[in-house]
Amino acid sequence: MLTYRLASPADAPQLARLRWLHEWEQDSNQPMAEAQFLPLCEAFLAKALEEKSYFCFLAEEDGKIISNVWVCRVPKIPSPREAQGQIGYVTNVHTLRQYRSRGIGSALMERVKAFAKENGYELLFVWPSGRAVPFYERQGFRAENEMMECPLACE
């Protein structure tokens, strides 16, 4: 039976493993070994969940996490028009291959959008891979703004 919930720091080991699988699917030639990566990632994820700088929505089956969507809360600087505001950066959306095309990712995104509305988020944004664009369009995302980037690693 599938269950959906917010992740807690105790989920960090499984979530780190899912992150590894996500990256490995993109490129199996990773510069860091899995055994080196997992403890680093687990510590980062546990701290992010504890501090609530990130929220992770997950789907699990029989205690095994099979899908996740991460949202980084980005507080906005107050303005005279808006004393408080925040936006959400959607990242690391991944469903195990054998569970794809079953509506699990869509169900998680509905929970993300409901959470964002309930918590006063102004908008959600994502930098999707080319193959993920149709998924995000089905979820109500559109390419409306012109984002500018300054890749610092290349300077």
Side-chain angles (χ1 to χ4, degrees):
M1 179 174 152
L2 280 179
T3 56
Y4 297 91
R5 64 178 176 83
L6 273 171
S8 75
D11 295 310
Q14 280 195 72
L15 292 166
R17 177 76 179 129
L18 201 60
R19 176 72 175 151
W20 173 263
L21 292 173
H22 174 78
E23 290 299 313
W24 191 83
E25 272 187 18
Q26 304 298 316
D27 181 2
S28 62
N29 186 23
Q30 295 297 328
M32 188 182 297
E34 181 179 3
Q36 183 184 9
F37 172 80
L38 289 177
L40 294 172
C41 187
E42 181 181 331
F44 175 91
L45 299 179
K47 182 178 179 186
L49 291 167
E50 182 71 34
E51 294 175 348
K52 298 190 183 321
S53 56
Y54 282 84
F55 296 91
C56 178
F57 298 79
L58 61 84
E60 63 184 351
E61 183 177 67
D62 299 324
K64 177 184 175 185
I65 298 172
I66 60 168
S67 184
N68 65 195
V69 175
W70 286 82
V71 178
C72 178
R73 186 180 67 80
V74 182
K76 292 175 60 180
I77 295 173
S79 77
R81 291 179 301 282
E82 181 180 49
Q84 294 181 348
Q86 57 192 347
I87 57 179
Y89 167 47
V90 176
T91 186
N92 195 41
V93 177
H94 185 73
T95 300
L96 292 175
R97 183 171 283 155
Q98 63 269 33
Y99 291 93
R100 293 180 188 159
S101 299
R102 296 185 188 182
I104 296 168
S106 295
L108 281 174
M109 285 304 301
E110 287 303 316
R111 285 161 173 80
V112 166
K113 291 186 288 186
F115 173 88
K117 287 177 186 175
E118 290 167 13
N119 288 280
Y121 285 53
E122 181 180 322
L123 62 85
L124 296 171
F125 69 97
V126 65
W127 276 291
S129 66
R131 69 182 186 141
V133 169
F135 169 77
Y136 289 108
E137 288 176 338
R138 288 192 306 272
Q139 305 311 314
F141 287 79
R142 11 179 236 281
E144 192 163 303
N145 298 311
E146 292 295 324
M147 295 288 279
M148 296 178 72
E149 295 181 16
C150 178
L152 302 174
C154 299
E155 291 184 3

PDB file of all heavy atoms in Angstrom, residues 11-47:
ATOM      1  N   ASP A  11      14.558   9.717   7.850  1.00  0.00           N
ATOM      2  CA  ASP A  11      14.478   9.179   6.490  1.00  0.00           C
ATOM      3  C   ASP A  11      15.739   9.435   5.679  1.00  0.00           C
ATOM      4  O   ASP A  11      15.869   8.966   4.547  1.00  0.00           O
ATOM      5  CB  ASP A  11      13.281   9.806   5.745  1.00  0.00           C
ATOM      6  CG  ASP A  11      11.955   9.424   6.353  1.00  0.00           C
ATOM      7  OD1 ASP A  11      11.727   8.217   6.584  1.00  0.00           O
ATOM      8  OD2 ASP A  11      11.138  10.341   6.594  1.00  0.00           O
ATOM      9  N   ALA A  12      16.680  10.201   6.230  1.00  0.00           N
ATOM     10  CA  ALA A  12      17.863  10.622   5.469  1.00  0.00           C
ATOM     11  C   ALA A  12      18.641   9.464   4.830  1.00  0.00           C
ATOM     12  O   ALA A  12      19.069   9.602   3.679  1.00  0.00           O
ATOM     13  CB  ALA A  12      18.768  11.484   6.334  1.00  0.00           C
ATOM     14  N   PRO A  13      18.840   8.319   5.486  1.00  0.00           N
ATOM     15  CA  PRO A  13      19.592   7.241   4.818  1.00  0.00           C
ATOM     16  C   PRO A  13      18.929   6.758   3.531  1.00  0.00           C
ATOM     17  O   PRO A  13      19.593   6.626   2.497  1.00  0.00           O
ATOM     18  CB  PRO A  13      19.652   6.125   5.869  1.00  0.00           C
ATOM     19  CG  PRO A  13      19.524   6.837   7.177  1.00  0.00           C
ATOM     20  CD  PRO A  13      18.594   7.991   6.906  1.00  0.00           C
ATOM     21  N   GLN A  14      17.621   6.532   3.558  1.00  0.00           N
ATOM     22  CA  GLN A  14      16.924   6.100   2.347  1.00  0.00           C
ATOM     23  C   GLN A  14      16.910   7.197   1.295  1.00  0.00           C
ATOM     24  O   GLN A  14      17.041   6.928   0.097  1.00  0.00           O
ATOM     25  CB  GLN A  14      15.477   5.693   2.659  1.00  0.00           C
ATOM     26  CG  GLN A  14      15.316   4.319   3.242  1.00  0.00           C
ATOM     27  CD  GLN A  14      13.863   3.892   3.176  1.00  0.00           C
ATOM     28  OE1 GLN A  14      13.357   3.592   2.101  1.00  0.00           O
ATOM     29  NE2 GLN A  14      13.200   3.875   4.324  1.00  0.00           N
ATOM     30  N   LEU A  15      16.737   8.452   1.730  1.00  0.00           N
ATOM     31  CA  LEU A  15      16.695   9.565   0.788  1.00  0.00           C
ATOM     32  C   LEU A  15      18.053   9.791   0.127  1.00  0.00           C
ATOM     33  O   LEU A  15      18.119  10.122  -1.060  1.00  0.00           O
ATOM     34  CB  LEU A  15      16.204  10.833   1.486  1.00  0.00           C
ATOM     35  CG  LEU A  15      14.741  10.786   1.906  1.00  0.00           C
ATOM     36  CD1 LEU A  15      14.418  11.917   2.873  1.00  0.00           C
ATOM     37  CD2 LEU A  15      13.824  10.829   0.682  1.00  0.00           C
ATOM     38  N   ALA A  16      19.137   9.593   0.865  1.00  0.00           N
ATOM     39  CA  ALA A  16      20.475   9.712   0.283  1.00  0.00           C
ATOM     40  C   ALA A  16      20.671   8.638  -0.782  1.00  0.00           C
ATOM     41  O   ALA A  16      21.225   8.899  -1.857  1.00  0.00           O
ATOM     42  CB  ALA A  16      21.536   9.605   1.376  1.00  0.00           C
ATOM     43  N   ARG A  17      20.210   7.446  -0.501  1.00  0.00           N
ATOM     44  CA  ARG A  17      20.312   6.344  -1.482  1.00  0.00           C
ATOM     45  C   ARG A  17      19.502   6.672  -2.731  1.00  0.00           C
ATOM     46  O   ARG A  17      19.953   6.444  -3.854  1.00  0.00           O
ATOM     47  CB  ARG A  17      19.832   5.043  -0.842  1.00  0.00           C
ATOM     48  CG  ARG A  17      19.829   3.870  -1.766  1.00  0.00           C
ATOM     49  CD  ARG A  17      21.233   3.331  -2.004  1.00  0.00           C
ATOM     50  NE  ARG A  17      21.153   2.183  -2.879  1.00  0.00           N
ATOM     51  CZ  ARG A  17      21.873   2.045  -3.977  1.00  0.00           C
ATOM     52  NH1 ARG A  17      22.758   2.925  -4.308  1.00  0.00           N
ATOM     53  NH2 ARG A  17      21.737   0.995  -4.738  1.00  0.00           N
ATOM     54  N   LEU A  18      18.309   7.220  -2.570  1.00  0.00           N
ATOM     55  CA  LEU A  18      17.478   7.611  -3.710  1.00  0.00           C
ATOM     56  C   LEU A  18      18.169   8.708  -4.518  1.00  0.00           C
ATOM     57  O   LEU A  18      18.125   8.714  -5.750  1.00  0.00           O
ATOM     58  CB  LEU A  18      16.095   8.058  -3.228  1.00  0.00           C
ATOM     59  CG  LEU A  18      14.957   8.025  -4.231  1.00  0.00           C
ATOM     60  CD1 LEU A  18      14.717   6.628  -4.780  1.00  0.00           C
ATOM     61  CD2 LEU A  18      13.692   8.553  -3.591  1.00  0.00           C
ATOM     62  N   ARG A  19      18.831   9.631  -3.827  1.00  0.00           N
ATOM     63  CA  ARG A  19      19.576  10.693  -4.512  1.00  0.00           C
ATOM     64  C   ARG A  19      20.703  10.091  -5.347  1.00  0.00           C
ATOM     65  O   ARG A  19      20.943  10.513  -6.475  1.00  0.00           O
ATOM     66  CB  ARG A  19      20.134  11.686  -3.483  1.00  0.00           C
ATOM     67  CG  ARG A  19      20.987  12.767  -4.067  1.00  0.00           C
ATOM     68  CD  ARG A  19      20.172  13.777  -4.831  1.00  0.00           C
ATOM     69  NE  ARG A  19      21.039  14.865  -5.277  1.00  0.00           N
ATOM     70  CZ  ARG A  19      20.824  15.565  -6.364  1.00  0.00           C
ATOM     71  NH1 ARG A  19      19.763  15.343  -7.103  1.00  0.00           N
ATOM     72  NH2 ARG A  19      21.638  16.520  -6.710  1.00  0.00           N
ATOM     73  N   TRP A  20      21.404   9.118  -4.774  1.00  0.00           N
ATOM     74  CA  TRP A  20      22.468   8.447  -5.523  1.00  0.00           C
ATOM     75  C   TRP A  20      21.902   7.800  -6.786  1.00  0.00           C
ATOM     76  O   TRP A  20      22.466   7.948  -7.874  1.00  0.00           O
ATOM     77  CB  TRP A  20      23.171   7.407  -4.660  1.00  0.00           C
ATOM     78  CG  TRP A  20      24.155   6.591  -5.458  1.00  0.00           C
ATOM     79  CD1 TRP A  20      23.956   5.366  -6.013  1.00  0.00           C
ATOM     80  CD2 TRP A  20      25.475   6.992  -5.837  1.00  0.00           C
ATOM     81  NE1 TRP A  20      25.069   4.958  -6.697  1.00  0.00           N
ATOM     82  CE2 TRP A  20      26.019   5.950  -6.619  1.00  0.00           C
ATOM     83  CE3 TRP A  20      26.244   8.119  -5.599  1.00  0.00           C
ATOM     84  CZ2 TRP A  20      27.302   5.999  -7.144  1.00  0.00           C
ATOM     85  CZ3 TRP A  20      27.529   8.182  -6.135  1.00  0.00           C
ATOM     86  CH2 TRP A  20      28.036   7.125  -6.894  1.00  0.00           C
ATOM     87  N   LEU A  21      20.807   7.092  -6.658  1.00  0.00           N
ATOM     88  CA  LEU A  21      20.195   6.429  -7.815  1.00  0.00           C
ATOM     89  C   LEU A  21      19.776   7.445  -8.875  1.00  0.00           C
ATOM     90  O   LEU A  21      19.944   7.207 -10.075  1.00  0.00           O
ATOM     91  CB  LEU A  21      18.991   5.590  -7.378  1.00  0.00           C
ATOM     92  CG  LEU A  21      19.313   4.364  -6.536  1.00  0.00           C
ATOM     93  CD1 LEU A  21      18.027   3.722  -6.017  1.00  0.00           C
ATOM     94  CD2 LEU A  21      20.127   3.358  -7.332  1.00  0.00           C
ATOM     95  N   HIS A  22      19.227   8.569  -8.428  1.00  0.00           N
ATOM     96  CA  HIS A  22      18.808   9.632  -9.346  1.00  0.00           C
ATOM     97  C   HIS A  22      20.005  10.124 -10.166  1.00  0.00           C
ATOM     98  O   HIS A  22      19.937  10.241 -11.389  1.00  0.00           O
ATOM     99  CB  HIS A  22      18.191  10.781  -8.536  1.00  0.00           C
ATOM    100  CG  HIS A  22      17.863  11.981  -9.341  1.00  0.00           C
ATOM    101  ND1 HIS A  22      16.740  12.049 -10.129  1.00  0.00           N
ATOM    102  CD2 HIS A  22      18.497  13.173  -9.476  1.00  0.00           C
ATOM    103  CE1 HIS A  22      16.703  13.235 -10.725  1.00  0.00           C
ATOM    104  NE2 HIS A  22      17.761  13.937 -10.346  1.00  0.00           N
ATOM    105  N   GLU A  23      21.102  10.412  -9.494  1.00  0.00           N
ATOM    106  CA  GLU A  23      22.290  10.910 -10.184  1.00  0.00           C
ATOM    107  C   GLU A  23      22.918   9.829 -11.063  1.00  0.00           C
ATOM    108  O   GLU A  23      23.388  10.115 -12.166  1.00  0.00           O
ATOM    109  CB  GLU A  23      23.315  11.435  -9.169  1.00  0.00           C
ATOM    110  CG  GLU A  23      22.872  12.699  -8.488  1.00  0.00           C
ATOM    111  CD  GLU A  23      22.665  13.852  -9.464  1.00  0.00           C
ATOM    112  OE1 GLU A  23      23.551  14.085 -10.320  1.00  0.00           O
ATOM    113  OE2 GLU A  23      21.625  14.520  -9.368  1.00  0.00           O
ATOM    114  N   TRP A  24      22.925   8.598 -10.589  1.00  0.00           N
ATOM    115  CA  TRP A  24      23.508   7.498 -11.339  1.00  0.00           C
ATOM    116  C   TRP A  24      22.740   7.249 -12.632  1.00  0.00           C
ATOM    117  O   TRP A  24      23.327   6.937 -13.663  1.00  0.00           O
ATOM    118  CB  TRP A  24      23.551   6.245 -10.475  1.00  0.00           C
ATOM    119  CG  TRP A  24      24.368   5.139 -11.076  1.00  0.00           C
ATOM    120  CD1 TRP A  24      25.715   4.989 -11.017  1.00  0.00           C
ATOM    121  CD2 TRP A  24      23.867   4.041 -11.826  1.00  0.00           C
ATOM    122  NE1 TRP A  24      26.093   3.853 -11.691  1.00  0.00           N
ATOM    123  CE2 TRP A  24      24.986   3.253 -12.203  1.00  0.00           C
ATOM    124  CE3 TRP A  24      22.610   3.636 -12.227  1.00  0.00           C
ATOM    125  CZ2 TRP A  24      24.863   2.090 -12.957  1.00  0.00           C
ATOM    126  CZ3 TRP A  24      22.479   2.482 -12.982  1.00  0.00           C
ATOM    127  CH2 TRP A  24      23.601   1.726 -13.328  1.00  0.00           C
ATOM    128  N   GLU A  25      21.398   7.405 -12.581  1.00  0.00           N
ATOM    129  CA  GLU A  25      20.592   7.265 -13.800  1.00  0.00           C
ATOM    130  C   GLU A  25      20.962   8.315 -14.834  1.00  0.00           C
ATOM    131  O   GLU A  25      20.914   8.059 -16.030  1.00  0.00           O
ATOM    132  CB  GLU A  25      19.099   7.389 -13.488  1.00  0.00           C
ATOM    133  CG  GLU A  25      18.455   6.110 -13.120  1.00  0.00           C
ATOM    134  CD  GLU A  25      16.946   6.254 -12.983  1.00  0.00           C
ATOM    135  OE1 GLU A  25      16.353   7.239 -13.484  1.00  0.00           O
ATOM    136  OE2 GLU A  25      16.347   5.359 -12.379  1.00  0.00           O
ATOM    137  N   GLN A  26      21.289   9.519 -14.372  1.00  0.00           N
ATOM    138  CA  GLN A  26      21.664  10.600 -15.282  1.00  0.00           C
ATOM    139  C   GLN A  26      23.033  10.326 -15.919  1.00  0.00           C
ATOM    140  O   GLN A  26      23.239  10.604 -17.087  1.00  0.00           O
ATOM    141  CB  GLN A  26      21.714  11.941 -14.539  1.00  0.00           C
ATOM    142  CG  GLN A  26      20.436  12.318 -13.825  1.00  0.00           C
ATOM    143  CD  GLN A  26      19.262  12.488 -14.760  1.00  0.00           C
ATOM    144  OE1 GLN A  26      19.382  13.099 -15.804  1.00  0.00           O
ATOM    145  NE2 GLN A  26      18.134  11.941 -14.390  1.00  0.00           N
ATOM    146  N   ASP A  27      23.959   9.797 -15.107  1.00  0.00           N
ATOM    147  CA  ASP A  27      25.318   9.542 -15.574  1.00  0.00           C
ATOM    148  C   ASP A  27      25.965   8.548 -14.618  1.00  0.00           C
ATOM    149  O   ASP A  27      26.265   8.885 -13.477  1.00  0.00           O
ATOM    150  CB  ASP A  27      26.125  10.850 -15.609  1.00  0.00           C
ATOM    151  CG  ASP A  27      27.552  10.659 -16.105  1.00  0.00           C
ATOM    152  OD1 ASP A  27      27.934   9.529 -16.473  1.00  0.00           O
ATOM    153  OD2 ASP A  27      28.284  11.666 -16.117  1.00  0.00           O
ATOM    154  N   SER A  28      26.186   7.333 -15.089  1.00  0.00           N
ATOM    155  CA  SER A  28      26.722   6.292 -14.210  1.00  0.00           C
ATOM    156  C   SER A  28      28.213   6.489 -13.908  1.00  0.00           C
ATOM    157  O   SER A  28      28.763   5.796 -13.059  1.00  0.00           O
ATOM    158  CB  SER A  28      26.483   4.910 -14.806  1.00  0.00           C
ATOM    159  OG  SER A  28      27.152   4.799 -16.053  1.00  0.00           O
ATOM    160  N   ASN A  29      28.844   7.428 -14.571  1.00  0.00           N
ATOM    161  CA  ASN A  29      30.259   7.711 -14.321  1.00  0.00           C
ATOM    162  C   ASN A  29      30.365   8.889 -13.347  1.00  0.00           C
ATOM    163  O   ASN A  29      30.616  10.018 -13.748  1.00  0.00           O
ATOM    164  CB  ASN A  29      30.977   8.016 -15.641  1.00  0.00           C
ATOM    165  CG  ASN A  29      32.465   8.177 -15.453  1.00  0.00           C
ATOM    166  OD1 ASN A  29      33.032   7.679 -14.485  1.00  0.00           O
ATOM    167  ND2 ASN A  29      33.093   8.880 -16.368  1.00  0.00           N
ATOM    168  N   GLN A  30      30.173   8.622 -12.080  1.00  0.00           N
ATOM    169  CA  GLN A  30      30.197   9.668 -11.063  1.00  0.00           C
ATOM    170  C   GLN A  30      31.618   9.877 -10.529  1.00  0.00           C
ATOM    171  O   GLN A  30      32.354   8.912 -10.348  1.00  0.00           O
ATOM    172  CB  GLN A  30      29.255   9.320  -9.903  1.00  0.00           C
ATOM    173  CG  GLN A  30      27.793   9.267 -10.291  1.00  0.00           C
ATOM    174  CD  GLN A  30      27.271  10.611 -10.769  1.00  0.00           C
ATOM    175  OE1 GLN A  30      27.699  11.665 -10.339  1.00  0.00           O
ATOM    176  NE2 GLN A  30      26.323  10.559 -11.694  1.00  0.00           N
ATOM    177  N   PRO A  31      31.997  11.127 -10.248  1.00  0.00           N
ATOM    178  CA  PRO A  31      33.347  11.393  -9.746  1.00  0.00           C
ATOM    179  C   PRO A  31      33.565  10.944  -8.299  1.00  0.00           C
ATOM    180  O   PRO A  31      34.698  10.822  -7.856  1.00  0.00           O
ATOM    181  CB  PRO A  31      33.477  12.916  -9.864  1.00  0.00           C
ATOM    182  CG  PRO A  31      32.083  13.417  -9.843  1.00  0.00           C
ATOM    183  CD  PRO A  31      31.244  12.342 -10.471  1.00  0.00           C
ATOM    184  N   MET A  32      32.489  10.712  -7.568  1.00  0.00           N
ATOM    185  CA  MET A  32      32.595  10.294  -6.171  1.00  0.00           C
ATOM    186  C   MET A  32      32.004   8.896  -6.032  1.00  0.00           C
ATOM    187  O   MET A  32      30.944   8.609  -6.585  1.00  0.00           O
ATOM    188  CB  MET A  32      31.825  11.280  -5.280  1.00  0.00           C
ATOM    189  CG  MET A  32      32.025  11.054  -3.801  1.00  0.00           C
ATOM    190  SD  MET A  32      31.057  12.215  -2.767  1.00  0.00           S
ATOM    191  CE  MET A  32      31.771  13.782  -3.213  1.00  0.00           C
ATOM    192  N   ALA A  33      32.664   8.039  -5.296  1.00  0.00           N
ATOM    193  CA  ALA A  33      32.167   6.681  -5.071  1.00  0.00           C
ATOM    194  C   ALA A  33      30.923   6.717  -4.189  1.00  0.00           C
ATOM    195  O   ALA A  33      30.774   7.598  -3.333  1.00  0.00           O
ATOM    196  CB  ALA A  33      33.248   5.830  -4.416  1.00  0.00           C
ATOM    197  N   GLU A  34      30.058   5.758  -4.396  1.00  0.00           N
ATOM    198  CA  GLU A  34      28.811   5.678  -3.621  1.00  0.00           C
ATOM    199  C   GLU A  34      29.092   5.646  -2.118  1.00  0.00           C
ATOM    200  O   GLU A  34      28.435   6.346  -1.339  1.00  0.00           O
ATOM    201  CB  GLU A  34      28.026   4.435  -4.046  1.00  0.00           C
ATOM    202  CG  GLU A  34      26.714   4.264  -3.331  1.00  0.00           C
ATOM    203  CD  GLU A  34      25.947   3.039  -3.804  1.00  0.00           C
ATOM    204  OE1 GLU A  34      26.461   2.281  -4.659  1.00  0.00           O
ATOM    205  OE2 GLU A  34      24.826   2.839  -3.312  1.00  0.00           O
ATOM    206  N   ALA A  35      30.063   4.872  -1.695  1.00  0.00           N
ATOM    207  CA  ALA A  35      30.376   4.753  -0.263  1.00  0.00           C
ATOM    208  C   ALA A  35      30.861   6.076   0.325  1.00  0.00           C
ATOM    209  O   ALA A  35      30.680   6.329   1.516  1.00  0.00           O
ATOM    210  CB  ALA A  35      31.434   3.674  -0.049  1.00  0.00           C
ATOM    211  N   GLN A  36      31.449   6.909  -0.471  1.00  0.00           N
ATOM    212  CA  GLN A  36      31.893   8.231  -0.023  1.00  0.00           C
ATOM    213  C   GLN A  36      30.735   9.223  -0.043  1.00  0.00           C
ATOM    214  O   GLN A  36      30.596  10.060   0.846  1.00  0.00           O
ATOM    215  CB  GLN A  36      33.024   8.720  -0.931  1.00  0.00           C
ATOM    216  CG  GLN A  36      33.618  10.052  -0.536  1.00  0.00           C
ATOM    217  CD  GLN A  36      34.661  10.518  -1.546  1.00  0.00           C
ATOM    218  OE1 GLN A  36      34.847   9.947  -2.618  1.00  0.00           O
ATOM    219  NE2 GLN A  36      35.366  11.572  -1.186  1.00  0.00           N
ATOM    220  N   PHE A  37      29.893   9.117  -1.062  1.00  0.00           N
ATOM    221  CA  PHE A  37      28.786  10.047  -1.247  1.00  0.00           C
ATOM    222  C   PHE A  37      27.680   9.887  -0.198  1.00  0.00           C
ATOM    223  O   PHE A  37      27.188  10.875   0.345  1.00  0.00           O
ATOM    224  CB  PHE A  37      28.186   9.868  -2.654  1.00  0.00           C
ATOM    225  CG  PHE A  37      26.925  10.635  -2.869  1.00  0.00           C
ATOM    226  CD1 PHE A  37      26.983  11.996  -3.154  1.00  0.00           C
ATOM    227  CD2 PHE A  37      25.687  10.021  -2.775  1.00  0.00           C
ATOM    228  CE1 PHE A  37      25.812  12.729  -3.343  1.00  0.00           C
ATOM    229  CE2 PHE A  37      24.520  10.740  -2.967  1.00  0.00           C
ATOM    230  CZ  PHE A  37      24.578  12.094  -3.249  1.00  0.00           C
ATOM    231  N   LEU A  38      27.277   8.673   0.064  1.00  0.00           N
ATOM    232  CA  LEU A  38      26.101   8.436   0.914  1.00  0.00           C
ATOM    233  C   LEU A  38      26.187   9.090   2.291  1.00  0.00           C
ATOM    234  O   LEU A  38      25.239   9.766   2.700  1.00  0.00           O
ATOM    235  CB  LEU A  38      25.799   6.944   1.021  1.00  0.00           C
ATOM    236  CG  LEU A  38      25.248   6.304  -0.260  1.00  0.00           C
ATOM    237  CD1 LEU A  38      25.047   4.808  -0.057  1.00  0.00           C
ATOM    238  CD2 LEU A  38      23.965   6.962  -0.726  1.00  0.00           C
ATOM    239  N   PRO A  39      27.281   8.953   3.055  1.00  0.00           N
ATOM    240  CA  PRO A  39      27.297   9.607   4.366  1.00  0.00           C
ATOM    241  C   PRO A  39      27.266  11.132   4.280  1.00  0.00           C
ATOM    242  O   PRO A  39      26.645  11.796   5.115  1.00  0.00           O
ATOM    243  CB  PRO A  39      28.583   9.125   5.025  1.00  0.00           C
ATOM    244  CG  PRO A  39      29.290   8.277   4.058  1.00  0.00           C
ATOM    245  CD  PRO A  39      28.449   8.105   2.845  1.00  0.00           C
ATOM    246  N   LEU A  40      27.906  11.699   3.265  1.00  0.00           N
ATOM    247  CA  LEU A  40      27.872  13.152   3.079  1.00  0.00           C
ATOM    248  C   LEU A  40      26.461  13.632   2.771  1.00  0.00           C
ATOM    249  O   LEU A  40      25.970  14.606   3.353  1.00  0.00           O
ATOM    250  CB  LEU A  40      28.814  13.571   1.940  1.00  0.00           C
ATOM    251  CG  LEU A  40      30.301  13.357   2.163  1.00  0.00           C
ATOM    252  CD1 LEU A  40      31.081  13.630   0.885  1.00  0.00           C
ATOM    253  CD2 LEU A  40      30.794  14.252   3.283  1.00  0.00           C
ATOM    254  N   CYS A  41      25.828  12.937   1.856  1.00  0.00           N
ATOM    255  CA  CYS A  41      24.468  13.310   1.463  1.00  0.00           C
ATOM    256  C   CYS A  41      23.495  13.109   2.619  1.00  0.00           C
ATOM    257  O   CYS A  41      22.646  13.962   2.886  1.00  0.00           O
ATOM    258  CB  CYS A  41      24.039  12.499   0.243  1.00  0.00           C
ATOM    259  SG  CYS A  41      22.449  13.008  -0.444  1.00  0.00           S
ATOM    260  N   GLU A  42      23.621  11.989   3.312  1.00  0.00           N
ATOM    261  CA  GLU A  42      22.739  11.704   4.448  1.00  0.00           C
ATOM    262  C   GLU A  42      22.834  12.806   5.502  1.00  0.00           C
ATOM    263  O   GLU A  42      21.809  13.278   6.014  1.00  0.00           O
ATOM    264  CB  GLU A  42      23.104  10.356   5.049  1.00  0.00           C
ATOM    265  CG  GLU A  42      22.238   9.954   6.214  1.00  0.00           C
ATOM    266  CD  GLU A  42      22.642   8.608   6.795  1.00  0.00           C
ATOM    267  OE1 GLU A  42      23.173   7.750   6.068  1.00  0.00           O
ATOM    268  OE2 GLU A  42      22.411   8.423   8.014  1.00  0.00           O
ATOM    269  N   ALA A  43      24.039  13.244   5.827  1.00  0.00           N
ATOM    270  CA  ALA A  43      24.216  14.309   6.828  1.00  0.00           C
ATOM    271  C   ALA A  43      23.574  15.609   6.350  1.00  0.00           C
ATOM    272  O   ALA A  43      22.895  16.297   7.122  1.00  0.00           O
ATOM    273  CB  ALA A  43      25.696  14.514   7.116  1.00  0.00           C
ATOM    274  N   PHE A  44      23.772  15.952   5.072  1.00  0.00           N
ATOM    275  CA  PHE A  44      23.181  17.168   4.526  1.00  0.00           C
ATOM    276  C   PHE A  44      21.661  17.113   4.599  1.00  0.00           C
ATOM    277  O   PHE A  44      21.001  18.058   5.049  1.00  0.00           O
ATOM    278  CB  PHE A  44      23.622  17.381   3.067  1.00  0.00           C
ATOM    279  CG  PHE A  44      22.956  18.562   2.419  1.00  0.00           C
ATOM    280  CD1 PHE A  44      23.544  19.810   2.463  1.00  0.00           C
ATOM    281  CD2 PHE A  44      21.724  18.438   1.784  1.00  0.00           C
ATOM    282  CE1 PHE A  44      22.936  20.918   1.879  1.00  0.00           C
ATOM    283  CE2 PHE A  44      21.096  19.525   1.205  1.00  0.00           C
ATOM    284  CZ  PHE A  44      21.704  20.770   1.253  1.00  0.00           C
ATOM    285  N   LEU A  45      21.081  15.995   4.142  1.00  0.00           N
ATOM    286  CA  LEU A  45      19.623  15.865   4.100  1.00  0.00           C
ATOM    287  C   LEU A  45      19.020  15.888   5.506  1.00  0.00           C
ATOM    288  O   LEU A  45      17.995  16.545   5.729  1.00  0.00           O
ATOM    289  CB  LEU A  45      19.222  14.594   3.353  1.00  0.00           C
ATOM    290  CG  LEU A  45      19.667  14.503   1.892  1.00  0.00           C
ATOM    291  CD1 LEU A  45      19.231  13.178   1.288  1.00  0.00           C
ATOM    292  CD2 LEU A  45      19.179  15.675   1.076  1.00  0.00           C
ATOM    293  N   ALA A  46      19.633  15.183   6.442  1.00  0.00           N
ATOM    294  CA  ALA A  46      19.119  15.168   7.816  1.00  0.00           C
ATOM    295  C   ALA A  46      19.111  16.578   8.398  1.00  0.00           C
ATOM    296  O   ALA A  46      18.123  17.004   9.023  1.00  0.00           O
ATOM    297  CB  ALA A  46      19.948  14.226   8.685  1.00  0.00           C
ATOM    298  N   LYS A  47      20.195  17.324   8.186  1.00  0.00           N
ATOM    299  CA  LYS A  47      20.282  18.694   8.702  1.00  0.00           C
ATOM    300  C   LYS A  47      19.256  19.603   8.027  1.00  0.00           C
ATOM    301  O   LYS A  47      18.591  20.395   8.692  1.00  0.00           O
ATOM    302  CB  LYS A  47      21.696  19.239   8.483  1.00  0.00           C
ATOM    303  CG  LYS A  47      21.894  20.640   9.029  1.00  0.00           C
ATOM    304  CD  LYS A  47      23.316  21.119   8.823  1.00  0.00           C
ATOM    305  CE  LYS A  47      23.471  22.527   9.358  1.00  0.00           C
ATOM    306  NZ  LYS A  47      24.775  23.087   9.062  1.00  0.00           N
TER     307      LYS A  47
END
